């Protein structure tokens, strides 16, 4: 941006244009704050390995991965920005408008991140542009970013020129930066770009040590957030779902970056709605509260955990019967998570247990569990798949090819949720009245290990009696 552009008075701005005297005054008298003490970010070696794997996959091709542009909410107000998971995974950086470029060379690729440099002091950008450093805070200099990311960093304003000069077939991650896509118009193909998106998702299927540590921490912080909520729940009388959501959010912001997805604080019949995020009801004694929430770490990895608890601290006999069935299904699901198992095995194992309970309770007439399972009739009350991959996204790697994901095989280093549930809608006339309006889900985050699995969220009580003892302890 040049001086004239920065000097334009804004529509409905209270200040007039900047006088020459003020411009000259603002150009001087500022300390040099360049940082020379920076060390590479802890995941720099991992991001380098991830980029090397991508480079090996596409020799001779120009690869372009944008972080994305902020979405405008109104005039100069944006929605909170989060970089594309693909860009964050390959760089460890969280800048907006940034673009990772892998330019083909004779023996691989030359890698560079194109980033916005520090906002300029000479042309007034630093205080006159509404994203300048006196408005949004200081951005790193390119040199600082090189040191942090372990990656060549270039000025974003030179990107179009660099893309025009680069040769070779091009692949771009679409959907994040319309400007980048326009600069590459006519040089990319929808099918090839879709294949590129699949590859970027598949690169994230097996987590490295850094990612596993992040997910472990996300689960631990989430467990602390659940404890915060249980303490609020212990106050006498109804508790609003909004207070529950807000209480968890405080923990997410203090220990992490944000929540990894909209918190589901679903009490009473709301628990039968899979993604209840309106959270505008009350949690009343005698009801169950289904809390599905996850802290996203500062490096953007999220937990995805659910506990269903009695608001008054004790399950009724029917609530407990339903809870125990879901618990048994989850146990069967978790037991099926091991290297070499088909991905679908844990889902089948858990759903089968749920079908057996539904048959035993007489909800499926004269059918045997085999018959009910074969016809899929249990799904009236189980509704969803039993889990999904977890990582930078709550539904991680969702763009991977079916053959490598749901039709694939579990490998050590994968992390997935196991989250069976039973949901009896309030208006379901096919179940006895006392079942109606009860929803139970139990969700844990499971790491596939060389010898089987590890429950990363084992710190949260799960069995019905453990849940009751936990609530009693927090009630003091
Ligand atoms: N929290 C969304 C899910 O469990 O998949
Ligand atoms: Mn989930
Ligand atoms: Mn969940």
């Amino acid at each position: 941006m040049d001086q004239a552009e920065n000097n334009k008075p804004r529509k409905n701005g209270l200040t007039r244009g900047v006088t020459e005297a003020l411009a000259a005054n603002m150009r001087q008298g500022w300390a040099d704050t360049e940082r020379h003490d920076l060390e590479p970010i802890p995941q720099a070696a991992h991001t380098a390995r991830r980029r090397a794997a991508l480079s090996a996959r596409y020799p001779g091709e120009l690869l372009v991965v944008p972080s994305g542009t902020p979405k405008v909410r109104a005039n100069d107000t944006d929605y909170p920005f989060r970089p594309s998971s693909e860009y964050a995974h390959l760089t460890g950086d969280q800048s907006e408008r940034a673009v990772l470029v892998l330019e083909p060379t004779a023996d691989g690729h030359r890698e560079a991140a194109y980033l916005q440099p520090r906002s300029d002091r000479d042309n007034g950008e630093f205080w006159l542009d509404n994203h300048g450093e006196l408005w949004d805070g200081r951005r790193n200099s390119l040199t600082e970013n090189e040191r942090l990311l372990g990656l060549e960093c270039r000025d974003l304003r030179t990107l179009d020129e660099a893309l025009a000069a680069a040769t070779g077939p091009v692949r771009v991650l679409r959907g994040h930066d319309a400007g980048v896509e326009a600069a590459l118009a006519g040089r990319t193909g929808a099918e090839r770009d879709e294949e590129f998106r699949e590859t970027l998702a598949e690169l994230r299927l097996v987590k490295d040590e850094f990612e596993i540590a992040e997910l472990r921490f996300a689960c631990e912080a989430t467990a602390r957030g659940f404890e915060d909520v249980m303490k609020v729940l212990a106050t006498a009388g109804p508790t609003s779902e909004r207070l529950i959501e807000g209480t968890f959010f405080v923990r997410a912001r203090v220990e992490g970056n944000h929540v990894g997805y909209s918190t589901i604080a679903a009490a009473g019949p709301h628990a039968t709605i899979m993604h209840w995020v309106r959270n505008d009801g009350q949690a009343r004694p005698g009801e169950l509260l289904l809390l599905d929430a996850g802290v996203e770490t500062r490096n953007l990895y999220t937990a995805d955990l659910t506990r269903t608890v009695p608001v008054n601290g004790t399950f009724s006999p029917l609530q407990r019967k339903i809870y125990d069935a879901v618990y048994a299904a989850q146990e069967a699901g978790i037991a099926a998570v091991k290297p070499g198992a088909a991905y679908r095995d844990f889902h089948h194992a858990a759903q089968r247990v749920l079908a057996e309970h539904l048959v035993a309770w007489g909800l499926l007439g004269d059918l045997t569990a085999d018959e009910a399972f074969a016809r899929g009739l249990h799904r009236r009350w189980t509704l969803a798949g039993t889990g999904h991959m977890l990582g930078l996204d709550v539904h991680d790697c969702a763009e991977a090819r079916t053959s490598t994901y749901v039709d694939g095989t579990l490998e050590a280093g994968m992390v997935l949720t196991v989250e069976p549930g039973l949901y009896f809608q309030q208006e379901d006339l096919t179940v006895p009245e006392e079942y109606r309006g009860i929803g139970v889900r139990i969700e844990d985050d499971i790491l596939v290990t060389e010898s089987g699995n590890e429950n990363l969220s084992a710190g949260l009580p799960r069995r019905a009696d453990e849940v009751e003892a936990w609530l009693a302890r927090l009630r003091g």
Side-chain angles (χ1 to χ4, degrees):
M1 202 171 277
D2 61 21
Q3 176 75 60
E5 186 67 18
N6 282 327
N7 216 345
K8 268 208 321 241
R10 283 185 179 72
K11 185 171 186 184
N12 292 321
L14 282 171
T15 53
R16 296 173 192 282
V18 176
T19 63
E20 254 322 304
L22 177 57
N25 175 286
M26 287 299 282
R27 267 196 292 275
Q28 51 77 50
W30 306 104
D32 176 5
T33 60
E34 182 73 14
R35 296 188 60 186
H36 303 283
D37 58 342
L38 295 170
E39 294 296 325
I41 55 173
Q43 61 173 318
H46 297 285
T47 58
R49 264 199 300 278
R50 298 170 199 158
R51 291 192 302 271
L54 191 65
S55 166
R57 173 78 187 257
Y58 296 108
E61 300 194 40
L62 174 67
L63 308 175
V64 182
V65 182
S67 74
T69 54
K71 182 168 166 52
V72 175
R73 177 172 164 164
N75 52 73
D76 61 353
T77 309
D78 296 337
Y79 287 99
F81 176 78
R82 184 184 186 278
S84 69
S85 295
E86 293 86 349
Y87 175 82
H89 184 243
L90 292 169
T91 62
D93 178 44
Q94 298 183 21
S95 305
E96 57 193 45
R97 304 180 194 281
V99 185
L100 174 68
V101 177
L102 270 62
E103 218 178 290
T105 59
D107 57 354
H109 288 86
R110 179 165 179 183
E111 308 167 337
Y114 287 80
L115 300 163
Q116 291 180 285
R118 274 190 71 184
S119 49
D120 201 296
R121 281 177 174 167
D122 287 332
N123 69 7
E125 181 194 358
F126 80 115
W127 74 291
L128 293 171
D129 184 274
N130 65 356
H131 292 299
E133 87 182 36
L134 299 201
W135 291 91
D136 281 0
R138 184 186 186 282
R139 290 191 294 263
N140 293 326
S141 71
L142 295 175
T143 312
E144 288 167 344
N145 266 329
E146 281 192 341
R147 184 90 191 121
L148 288 166
L149 304 178
L151 178 63
E152 182 177 345
C153 293
R154 300 187 193 150
D155 190 327
L156 182 63
R157 290 168 294 196
T158 65
L159 175 65
D160 283 0
E161 202 182 309
L163 291 178
T167 54
V170 184
R171 293 189 199 242
V172 62
L173 175 68
R174 296 190 184 194
H176 293 282
D177 194 321
V180 167
E181 287 172 39
L184 294 169
R187 297 175 65 191
T188 64
E191 235 170 77
R192 287 160 41 78
D193 287 348
E194 197 47 39
E195 197 269 347
F196 187 48
R197 184 193 302 285
E198 289 173 345
T199 298
L200 291 169
E202 288 171 12
L203 266 186
R204 311 208 312 266
L205 279 168
V206 173
K207 272 64 184 174
D208 57 38
E209 285 157 49
F210 178 88
E211 297 181 291
I212 291 167
E214 285 289 311
L215 288 165
R216 195 182 294 285
F217 177 78
C219 286
E220 290 164 1
T222 299
R224 289 188 281 274
F226 273 54
E227 285 221 2
D228 298 338
V229 168
M230 298 313 148
K231 287 179 192 157
V232 167
L233 209 57
T235 54
T239 307
S240 82
E241 292 172 347
R242 288 283 158 96
L243 180 61
I244 292 165
E245 175 191 334
T247 300
F248 185 80
F249 186 65
V250 171
R251 180 65 68 172
R253 287 294 281 169
V254 170
E255 290 211 40
N257 178 55
H258 211 280
V259 286
Y261 54 93
S262 299
T263 293
I264 298 167
H270 292 161
T272 67
I273 309 298
M274 302 293 296
H275 287 167
W276 177 259
V277 294
R278 290 181 213 159
N279 301 344
D280 59 359
Q282 298 276 313
R284 299 180 188 84
E287 294 178 335
L288 295 175
L289 168 72
L290 184 157
L291 176 64
D292 182 342
V295 171
E296 178 191 69
T297 65
R298 302 254 157 102
N299 290 302
L300 309 182
Y301 287 81
T302 189
D304 179 13
L305 300 180
T306 306
R307 287 294 180 268
T308 307
V309 303
V311 174
N312 63 9
T314 312
F315 290 101
S316 73
L318 179 62
Q319 288 169 348
R320 184 158 183 153
K321 179 174 99 164
I322 295 170
Y323 187 95
D324 285 348
V326 174
Y327 177 83
Q330 200 200 20
E331 283 286 275
I334 293 173
V337 174
K338 50 189 165 208
Y343 174 80
R344 290 180 190 274
D345 284 356
F346 81 98
H347 170 65
H348 284 130
Q351 295 292 310
R352 171 79 205 188
V353 171
L354 292 175
E356 284 165 5
H357 282 82
L358 292 163
V359 166
W361 297 339
L363 301 186
L364 284 160
D366 294 335
L367 293 180
T368 64
D370 282 340
E371 288 165 344
F373 196 63
R375 295 182 205 178
L377 292 176
H378 57 293
R379 292 181 55 195
R380 181 179 178 100
W381 302 293
T382 66
L383 293 180
T386 311
H388 50 83
M389 294 293 179
L390 184 71
L392 280 165
D393 290 329
V394 61
H395 295 166
D396 207 37
C397 312
E399 307 286 353
R401 284 170 299 167
T402 306
S403 56
T404 55
Y405 187 169
V406 292
D407 290 339
T409 303
L410 291 180
E411 283 178 50
M414 290 178 170
V415 178
L416 60 146
T417 70
V418 179
E419 52 174 308
L422 284 173
Y423 310 94
F424 298 105
Q425 304 301 318
Q426 212 165 17
E427 63 273 28
D428 187 345
L429 303 180
T430 71
V431 297
E433 201 170 343
E434 62 269 25
Y435 283 66
R436 297 178 200 162
I438 296 181
V440 174
R441 173 161 72 251
I442 314 173
E443 177 171 25
D444 283 81
D445 299 342
I446 310 295
L447 165 68
V448 184
T449 62
E450 296 294 345
S451 58
N453 70 63
E454 179 190 344
N455 185 346
L456 297 179
S457 42
L460 264 183
R462 196 157 59 86
R463 249 188 11 235
D465 55 343
E466 291 169 346
V467 168
E468 288 182 345
W470 179 51
L471 292 172
R473 176 170 62 76
L474 294 173
R475 268 155 213 257

